[in-house]
């Protein structure tokens, strides 16, 4: 389980937007990319992220536009 303290320091690796916990994944509140959690360790890699519907490349994410 991810603690609130950890959740607070984690951010989207692209746009540094805050994340929220959704089921067993962390979801970026800005671009919607989903990061899975393995053995209580969030995998904060854009290459490993689950992209939102309609997005085929990380470059198209909302977070990437401000980065
Ligand atoms: Zn993001």
């Amino acid at each position: 389980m991810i603690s609130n303290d950890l959740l607070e320091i984690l951010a989207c690796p692209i746009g540094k937007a805050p994340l929220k916990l959704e089921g067993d994944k962390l979801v970026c509140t800005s671009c919607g990319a989903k990061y899975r959690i393995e053995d209580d360790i969030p995998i904060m890699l854009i290459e490993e992220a689950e992209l939102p519907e309609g997005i085929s490349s990380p470059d198209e994410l909302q977070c990437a536009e401000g980065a």
Side-chain angles (χ1 to χ4, degrees), residues 12-17 19 28-33 35 61 63:
C12 181
I14 317 168
K16 310 292 178 212
L19 302 168
C28 176
T29 55
S30 175
C31 69
Y35 303 91
L61 290 170
C63 274

Side-chain angles (χ1 to χ4, degrees), residues 5-55:
D5 287 350
L6 179 57
L7 194 57
E8 265 177 39
I9 58 168
L10 290 171
C12 181
I14 317 168
K16 310 292 178 212
L19 302 168
K20 65 175 187 232
L21 192 60
E22 210 171 83
D24 59 351
K25 295 199 172 85
L26 290 171
V27 185
C28 176
T29 55
S30 175
C31 69
K34 290 182 186 172
Y35 303 91
R36 69 178 193 281
I37 299 164
E38 273 182 15
D39 297 329
D40 291 344
I41 300 167
I43 312 296
M44 302 308 299
L45 297 171
I46 190 60
E47 297 83 20
E48 300 284 328
E50 197 179 301
L51 300 175
E53 220 169 297
I55 302 279

